[in-house]
Each structure stands twice: as C-alpha cells, then as structure tokens.
mmCIF file of all heavy atoms in Angstrom:
data_model
loop_
_atom_site.group_PDB
_atom_site.id
_atom_site.type_symbol
_atom_site.label_atom_id
_atom_site.label_comp_id
_atom_site.label_asym_id
_atom_site.label_seq_id
_atom_site.Cartn_x
_atom_site.Cartn_y
_atom_site.Cartn_z
ATOM 1 N N TYR A 1 18.584 -16.778 -16.760
ATOM 2 C CA TYR A 1 18.266 -17.666 -15.639
ATOM 3 C C TYR A 1 18.978 -17.213 -14.363
ATOM 4 O O TYR A 1 18.412 -17.315 -13.272
ATOM 5 C CB TYR A 1 18.632 -19.120 -15.959
ATOM 6 C CG TYR A 1 17.589 -19.833 -16.771
ATOM 7 C CD1 TYR A 1 17.889 -20.332 -18.033
ATOM 8 C CD2 TYR A 1 16.296 -20.016 -16.292
ATOM 9 C CE1 TYR A 1 16.940 -20.989 -18.794
ATOM 10 C CE2 TYR A 1 15.344 -20.671 -17.043
ATOM 11 C CZ TYR A 1 15.659 -21.155 -18.284
ATOM 12 O OH TYR A 1 14.709 -21.804 -19.032
ATOM 13 N N ALA A 2 20.191 -16.705 -14.496
ATOM 14 C CA ALA A 2 20.917 -16.195 -13.333
ATOM 15 C C ALA A 2 20.197 -14.984 -12.746
ATOM 16 O O ALA A 2 20.050 -14.866 -11.524
ATOM 17 C CB ALA A 2 22.348 -15.834 -13.708
ATOM 18 N N PHE A 3 19.722 -14.079 -13.599
ATOM 19 C CA PHE A 3 18.959 -12.927 -13.118
ATOM 20 C C PHE A 3 17.664 -13.369 -12.444
ATOM 21 O O PHE A 3 17.281 -12.831 -11.398
ATOM 22 C CB PHE A 3 18.643 -11.953 -14.257
ATOM 23 C CG PHE A 3 19.792 -11.089 -14.668
ATOM 24 C CD1 PHE A 3 20.025 -10.835 -16.005
ATOM 25 C CD2 PHE A 3 20.638 -10.517 -13.735
ATOM 26 C CE1 PHE A 3 21.085 -10.035 -16.402
ATOM 27 C CE2 PHE A 3 21.698 -9.715 -14.109
ATOM 28 C CZ PHE A 3 21.923 -9.477 -15.456
ATOM 29 N N ALA A 4 16.977 -14.337 -13.037
ATOM 30 C CA ALA A 4 15.734 -14.838 -12.450
ATOM 31 C C ALA A 4 15.994 -15.470 -11.088
ATOM 32 O O ALA A 4 15.210 -15.278 -10.144
ATOM 33 C CB ALA A 4 15.065 -15.839 -13.389
ATOM 34 N N SER A 5 17.097 -16.199 -10.946
ATOM 35 C CA SER A 5 17.445 -16.801 -9.658
ATOM 36 C C SER A 5 17.754 -15.735 -8.620
ATOM 37 O O SER A 5 17.347 -15.846 -7.459
ATOM 38 C CB SER A 5 18.653 -17.731 -9.810
ATOM 39 O OG SER A 5 18.358 -18.770 -10.687
ATOM 40 N N LEU A 6 18.454 -14.697 -9.037
ATOM 41 C CA LEU A 6 18.761 -13.591 -8.129
ATOM 42 C C LEU A 6 17.483 -12.896 -7.668
ATOM 43 O O LEU A 6 17.320 -12.596 -6.476
ATOM 44 C CB LEU A 6 19.695 -12.589 -8.818
ATOM 45 C CG LEU A 6 20.163 -11.413 -7.992
ATOM 46 C CD1 LEU A 6 21.012 -11.891 -6.817
ATOM 47 C CD2 LEU A 6 20.954 -10.454 -8.859
ATOM 48 N N ILE A 7 16.569 -12.684 -8.573
ATOM 49 C CA ILE A 7 15.290 -12.064 -8.221
ATOM 50 C C ILE A 7 14.501 -12.970 -7.277
ATOM 51 O O ILE A 7 13.863 -12.495 -6.325
ATOM 52 C CB ILE A 7 14.482 -11.733 -9.493
ATOM 53 C CG1 ILE A 7 15.155 -10.584 -10.246
ATOM 54 C CG2 ILE A 7 13.039 -11.372 -9.164
ATOM 55 C CD1 ILE A 7 14.619 -10.345 -11.632
ATOM 56 N N GLY A 8 14.549 -14.284 -7.500
ATOM 57 C CA GLY A 8 13.885 -15.228 -6.598
ATOM 58 C C GLY A 8 14.468 -15.175 -5.196
ATOM 59 O O GLY A 8 13.737 -15.226 -4.207
ATOM 60 N N CYS A 9 15.794 -15.069 -5.097
ATOM 61 C CA CYS A 9 16.443 -14.969 -3.771
ATOM 62 C C CYS A 9 16.055 -13.678 -3.061
ATOM 63 O O CYS A 9 15.812 -13.682 -1.848
ATOM 64 C CB CYS A 9 17.961 -15.059 -3.919
ATOM 65 S SG CYS A 9 18.539 -16.695 -4.357
ATOM 66 N N VAL A 10 15.991 -12.585 -3.790
ATOM 67 C CA VAL A 10 15.573 -11.315 -3.197
ATOM 68 C C VAL A 10 14.128 -11.421 -2.710
ATOM 69 O O VAL A 10 13.794 -10.957 -1.615
ATOM 70 C CB VAL A 10 15.742 -10.150 -4.202
ATOM 71 C CG1 VAL A 10 15.070 -8.885 -3.715
ATOM 72 C CG2 VAL A 10 17.216 -9.900 -4.477
ATOM 73 N N GLY A 11 13.270 -12.051 -3.512
ATOM 74 C CA GLY A 11 11.886 -12.246 -3.104
ATOM 75 C C GLY A 11 11.775 -13.108 -1.860
ATOM 76 O O GLY A 11 10.973 -12.843 -0.965
ATOM 77 N N LEU A 12 12.597 -14.163 -1.787
ATOM 78 C CA LEU A 12 12.620 -15.048 -0.615
ATOM 79 C C LEU A 12 12.990 -14.268 0.638
ATOM 80 O O LEU A 12 12.294 -14.341 1.661
ATOM 81 C CB LEU A 12 13.606 -16.190 -0.859
ATOM 82 C CG LEU A 12 13.846 -17.136 0.310
ATOM 83 C CD1 LEU A 12 12.723 -18.143 0.388
ATOM 84 C CD2 LEU A 12 15.172 -17.841 0.146
ATOM 85 N N LEU A 13 14.063 -13.508 0.571
ATOM 86 C CA LEU A 13 14.510 -12.740 1.739
ATOM 87 C C LEU A 13 13.501 -11.657 2.127
ATOM 88 O O LEU A 13 13.266 -11.412 3.315
ATOM 89 C CB LEU A 13 15.885 -12.123 1.469
ATOM 90 C CG LEU A 13 17.025 -13.135 1.325
ATOM 91 C CD1 LEU A 13 18.302 -12.428 0.909
ATOM 92 C CD2 LEU A 13 17.226 -13.917 2.604
ATOM 93 N N THR A 14 12.908 -11.022 1.146
ATOM 94 C CA THR A 14 11.906 -9.990 1.430
ATOM 95 C C THR A 14 10.690 -10.593 2.125
ATOM 96 O O THR A 14 10.168 -10.015 3.092
ATOM 97 C CB THR A 14 11.484 -9.287 0.126
ATOM 98 O OG1 THR A 14 12.640 -8.721 -0.487
ATOM 99 C CG2 THR A 14 10.456 -8.210 0.392
ATOM 100 N N LEU A 15 10.232 -11.735 1.648
ATOM 101 C CA LEU A 15 9.069 -12.375 2.261
ATOM 102 C C LEU A 15 9.380 -12.866 3.668
ATOM 103 O O LEU A 15 8.546 -12.732 4.572
ATOM 104 C CB LEU A 15 8.569 -13.524 1.381
ATOM 105 C CG LEU A 15 7.223 -14.127 1.761
ATOM 106 C CD1 LEU A 15 6.127 -13.069 1.754
ATOM 107 C CD2 LEU A 15 6.864 -15.247 0.795
ATOM 108 N N ILE A 16 10.575 -13.409 3.891
ATOM 109 C CA ILE A 16 10.969 -13.820 5.239
ATOM 110 C C ILE A 16 10.950 -12.614 6.166
ATOM 111 O O ILE A 16 10.407 -12.679 7.281
ATOM 112 C CB ILE A 16 12.369 -14.481 5.228
ATOM 113 C CG1 ILE A 16 12.318 -15.858 4.585
ATOM 114 C CG2 ILE A 16 12.919 -14.595 6.643
ATOM 115 C CD1 ILE A 16 13.685 -16.476 4.353
ATOM 116 N N ASN A 17 11.524 -11.506 5.727
ATOM 117 C CA ASN A 17 11.554 -10.287 6.538
ATOM 118 C C ASN A 17 10.146 -9.780 6.834
ATOM 119 O O ASN A 17 9.829 -9.419 7.970
ATOM 120 C CB ASN A 17 12.380 -9.213 5.828
ATOM 121 C CG ASN A 17 12.543 -7.961 6.651
ATOM 122 O OD1 ASN A 17 12.620 -8.021 7.872
ATOM 123 N ND2 ASN A 17 12.600 -6.835 5.984
ATOM 124 N N LEU A 18 9.299 -9.766 5.831
ATOM 125 C CA LEU A 18 7.934 -9.271 5.996
ATOM 126 C C LEU A 18 7.148 -10.139 6.975
ATOM 127 O O LEU A 18 6.470 -9.612 7.878
ATOM 128 C CB LEU A 18 7.231 -9.240 4.641
ATOM 129 C CG LEU A 18 5.817 -8.696 4.644
ATOM 130 C CD1 LEU A 18 5.863 -7.185 4.832
ATOM 131 C CD2 LEU A 18 5.118 -9.048 3.366
ATOM 132 N N LEU A 19 7.241 -11.455 6.843
ATOM 133 C CA LEU A 19 6.484 -12.341 7.727
ATOM 134 C C LEU A 19 7.040 -12.325 9.153
ATOM 135 O O LEU A 19 6.275 -12.392 10.117
ATOM 136 C CB LEU A 19 6.467 -13.761 7.167
ATOM 137 C CG LEU A 19 5.662 -13.945 5.875
ATOM 138 C CD1 LEU A 19 5.806 -15.356 5.349
ATOM 139 C CD2 LEU A 19 4.197 -13.594 6.092
ATOM 140 N N THR A 20 8.358 -12.236 9.300
ATOM 141 C CA THR A 20 8.949 -12.153 10.641
ATOM 142 C C THR A 20 8.505 -10.876 11.335
ATOM 143 O O THR A 20 8.146 -10.895 12.517
ATOM 144 C CB THR A 20 10.486 -12.213 10.551
ATOM 145 O OG1 THR A 20 10.851 -13.449 9.919
ATOM 146 C CG2 THR A 20 11.118 -12.145 11.914
ATOM 147 N N THR A 21 8.499 -9.779 10.602
ATOM 148 C CA THR A 21 8.031 -8.513 11.163
ATOM 149 C C THR A 21 6.554 -8.595 11.535
ATOM 150 O O THR A 21 6.137 -8.092 12.577
ATOM 151 C CB THR A 21 8.268 -7.370 10.156
ATOM 152 O OG1 THR A 21 9.650 -7.333 9.818
ATOM 153 C CG2 THR A 21 7.847 -6.031 10.724
ATOM 154 N N SER A 22 5.780 -9.250 10.696
ATOM 155 C CA SER A 22 4.360 -9.413 10.973
ATOM 156 C C SER A 22 4.134 -10.225 12.245
ATOM 157 O O SER A 22 3.253 -9.897 13.055
ATOM 158 C CB SER A 22 3.677 -10.089 9.782
ATOM 159 O OG SER A 22 2.300 -10.233 10.008
ATOM 160 N N VAL A 23 4.928 -11.278 12.451
ATOM 161 C CA VAL A 23 4.809 -12.079 13.676
ATOM 162 C C VAL A 23 5.133 -11.210 14.898
ATOM 163 O O VAL A 23 4.422 -11.247 15.911
ATOM 164 C CB VAL A 23 5.736 -13.313 13.624
ATOM 165 C CG1 VAL A 23 5.848 -13.983 14.983
ATOM 166 C CG2 VAL A 23 5.212 -14.309 12.599
ATOM 167 N N LEU A 24 6.204 -10.420 14.812
ATOM 168 C CA LEU A 24 6.588 -9.574 15.946
ATOM 169 C C LEU A 24 5.541 -8.510 16.237
ATOM 170 O O LEU A 24 5.235 -8.224 17.398
ATOM 171 C CB LEU A 24 7.951 -8.923 15.676
ATOM 172 C CG LEU A 24 9.140 -9.870 15.674
ATOM 173 C CD1 LEU A 24 10.398 -9.141 15.221
ATOM 174 C CD2 LEU A 24 9.334 -10.491 17.047
ATOM 175 N N GLU A 25 5.004 -7.884 15.206
ATOM 176 C CA GLU A 25 4.006 -6.828 15.398
ATOM 177 C C GLU A 25 2.672 -7.375 15.898
ATOM 178 O O GLU A 25 1.917 -6.655 16.556
ATOM 179 C CB GLU A 25 3.785 -6.076 14.085
ATOM 180 C CG GLU A 25 4.944 -5.191 13.695
ATOM 181 C CD GLU A 25 4.726 -4.509 12.355
ATOM 182 O OE1 GLU A 25 3.762 -4.874 11.627
ATOM 183 O OE2 GLU A 25 5.530 -3.622 12.021
ATOM 184 N N ARG A 26 2.369 -8.611 15.584
ATOM 185 C CA ARG A 26 1.070 -9.175 15.953
ATOM 186 C C ARG A 26 1.179 -10.164 17.101
ATOM 187 O O ARG A 26 0.326 -11.019 17.264
ATOM 188 C CB ARG A 26 0.470 -9.847 14.721
ATOM 189 C CG ARG A 26 0.159 -8.828 13.630
ATOM 190 C CD ARG A 26 -0.091 -9.435 12.295
ATOM 191 N NE ARG A 26 -1.302 -10.228 12.260
ATOM 192 C CZ ARG A 26 -1.661 -10.956 11.223
ATOM 193 N NH1 ARG A 26 -0.904 -10.991 10.154
ATOM 194 N NH2 ARG A 26 -2.763 -11.653 11.249
ATOM 195 N N SER A 27 2.208 -10.036 17.901
ATOM 196 C CA SER A 27 2.397 -10.999 18.990
ATOM 197 C C SER A 27 1.242 -10.955 19.986
ATOM 198 O O SER A 27 0.829 -11.989 20.507
ATOM 199 C CB SER A 27 3.734 -10.757 19.689
ATOM 200 O OG SER A 27 3.772 -9.481 20.268
ATOM 201 N N ARG A 28 0.698 -9.788 20.252
ATOM 202 C CA ARG A 28 -0.447 -9.702 21.169
ATOM 203 C C ARG A 28 -1.659 -10.431 20.584
ATOM 204 O O ARG A 28 -2.356 -11.155 21.296
ATOM 205 C CB ARG A 28 -0.774 -8.257 21.478
ATOM 206 C CG ARG A 28 -1.826 -8.111 22.553
ATOM 207 C CD ARG A 28 -1.778 -6.701 23.127
ATOM 208 N NE ARG A 28 -2.763 -6.500 24.158
ATOM 209 C CZ ARG A 28 -2.595 -6.818 25.427
ATOM 210 N NH1 ARG A 28 -1.472 -7.361 25.811
ATOM 211 N NH2 ARG A 28 -3.536 -6.585 26.319
ATOM 212 N N GLU A 29 -1.917 -10.244 19.296
ATOM 213 C CA GLU A 29 -3.011 -10.964 18.634
ATOM 214 C C GLU A 29 -2.788 -12.473 18.722
ATOM 215 O O GLU A 29 -3.738 -13.226 18.947
ATOM 216 C CB GLU A 29 -3.096 -10.567 17.158
ATOM 217 C CG GLU A 29 -3.605 -9.185 16.899
ATOM 218 C CD GLU A 29 -3.591 -8.861 15.416
ATOM 219 O OE1 GLU A 29 -3.936 -9.759 14.603
ATOM 220 O OE2 GLU A 29 -3.235 -7.735 15.065
ATOM 221 N N ILE A 30 -1.554 -12.899 18.516
ATOM 222 C CA ILE A 30 -1.235 -14.327 18.599
ATOM 223 C C ILE A 30 -1.542 -14.842 20.002
ATOM 224 O O ILE A 30 -2.119 -15.922 20.173
ATOM 225 C CB ILE A 30 0.246 -14.576 18.223
ATOM 226 C CG1 ILE A 30 0.478 -14.236 16.756
ATOM 227 C CG2 ILE A 30 0.637 -16.025 18.497
ATOM 228 C CD1 ILE A 30 1.936 -14.193 16.354
ATOM 229 N N GLY A 31 -1.191 -14.062 21.015
ATOM 230 C CA GLY A 31 -1.487 -14.458 22.390
ATOM 231 C C GLY A 31 -2.976 -14.579 22.635
ATOM 232 O O GLY A 31 -3.435 -15.517 23.304
ATOM 233 N N ILE A 32 -3.744 -13.655 22.097
ATOM 234 C CA ILE A 32 -5.202 -13.709 22.256
ATOM 235 C C ILE A 32 -5.762 -14.928 21.533
ATOM 236 O O ILE A 32 -6.621 -15.639 22.068
ATOM 237 C CB ILE A 32 -5.849 -12.397 21.766
ATOM 238 C CG1 ILE A 32 -5.440 -11.238 22.687
ATOM 239 C CG2 ILE A 32 -7.359 -12.524 21.685
ATOM 240 C CD1 ILE A 32 -5.821 -9.870 22.174
ATOM 241 N N TRP A 33 -5.281 -15.182 20.319
ATOM 242 C CA TRP A 33 -5.749 -16.365 19.576
ATOM 243 C C TRP A 33 -5.457 -17.627 20.358
ATOM 244 O O TRP A 33 -6.312 -18.508 20.478
ATOM 245 C CB TRP A 33 -5.074 -16.479 18.215
ATOM 246 C CG TRP A 33 -5.416 -15.420 17.211
ATOM 247 C CD1 TRP A 33 -6.515 -14.635 17.176
ATOM 248 C CD2 TRP A 33 -4.616 -15.041 16.093
ATOM 249 N NE1 TRP A 33 -6.462 -13.781 16.111
ATOM 250 C CE2 TRP A 33 -5.305 -14.012 15.424
ATOM 251 C CE3 TRP A 33 -3.390 -15.460 15.591
ATOM 252 C CZ2 TRP A 33 -4.810 -13.402 14.278
ATOM 253 C CZ3 TRP A 33 -2.912 -14.855 14.448
ATOM 254 C CH2 TRP A 33 -3.604 -13.839 13.801
ATOM 255 N N ARG A 34 -4.236 -17.706 20.872
ATOM 256 C CA ARG A 34 -3.832 -18.912 21.604
ATOM 257 C C ARG A 34 -4.647 -19.065 22.890
ATOM 258 O O ARG A 34 -5.023 -20.174 23.260
ATOM 259 C CB ARG A 34 -2.328 -18.863 21.940
ATOM 260 C CG ARG A 34 -1.387 -18.895 20.754
ATOM 261 C CD ARG A 34 -1.427 -20.205 19.973
ATOM 262 N NE ARG A 34 -1.126 -21.376 20.762
ATOM 263 C CZ ARG A 34 0.080 -21.878 20.952
ATOM 264 N NH1 ARG A 34 1.112 -21.336 20.374
ATOM 265 N NH2 ARG A 34 0.254 -22.948 21.702
ATOM 266 N N SER A 35 -4.934 -17.951 23.587
ATOM 267 C CA SER A 35 -5.714 -18.039 24.829
ATOM 268 C C SER A 35 -7.163 -18.417 24.556
ATOM 269 O O SER A 35 -7.842 -18.946 25.428
ATOM 270 C CB SER A 35 -5.638 -16.725 25.604
ATOM 271 O OG SER A 35 -6.278 -15.695 24.891
ATOM 272 N N MET A 36 -7.626 -18.155 23.339
ATOM 273 C CA MET A 36 -8.996 -18.521 22.970
ATOM 274 C C MET A 36 -9.075 -19.943 22.422
ATOM 275 O O MET A 36 -10.151 -20.401 22.046
ATOM 276 C CB MET A 36 -9.541 -17.529 21.936
ATOM 277 C CG MET A 36 -9.729 -16.126 22.504
ATOM 278 S SD MET A 36 -10.252 -14.938 21.285
ATOM 279 C CE MET A 36 -11.838 -15.579 20.813
#
C-alpha cells in the first residue's frame, strides 16, 4: 500500500506538470477560444 501511494503521488505530480505545460503551450489557442 505504501508503494501504491507513492506511485499515486508520482502520477499526481506528473499529471499536474503535464497539464500546466499544456496550458502554457496552448495559451494562444485559449485566447482565440475566449475571443470567440
């Protein structure tokens, strides 16, 4: 269970990093969506 929790925490941090990077890379698209 300790290993599973550690793997869950790594997955959480990886997904946060991936989505934050995606927001930064797609900021122009977000601006276009919002302007539309």
Side-chain angles (χ1 to χ4, degrees):
Y1 278 119
F3 283 139
S5 299
L6 183 64
I7 290 169
C9 289
V10 169
L12 175 81
L13 293 174
T14 302
L15 190 58
I16 288 171
N17 184 33
L18 182 73
L19 292 175
T20 301
T21 303
S22 181
V23 168
L24 291 173
E25 288 177 349
R26 295 165 67 186
S27 62
R28 187 162 180 85
E29 289 177 40
I30 294 169
I32 293 170
W33 293 338
R34 295 294 302 271
S35 66
M36 293 176 64

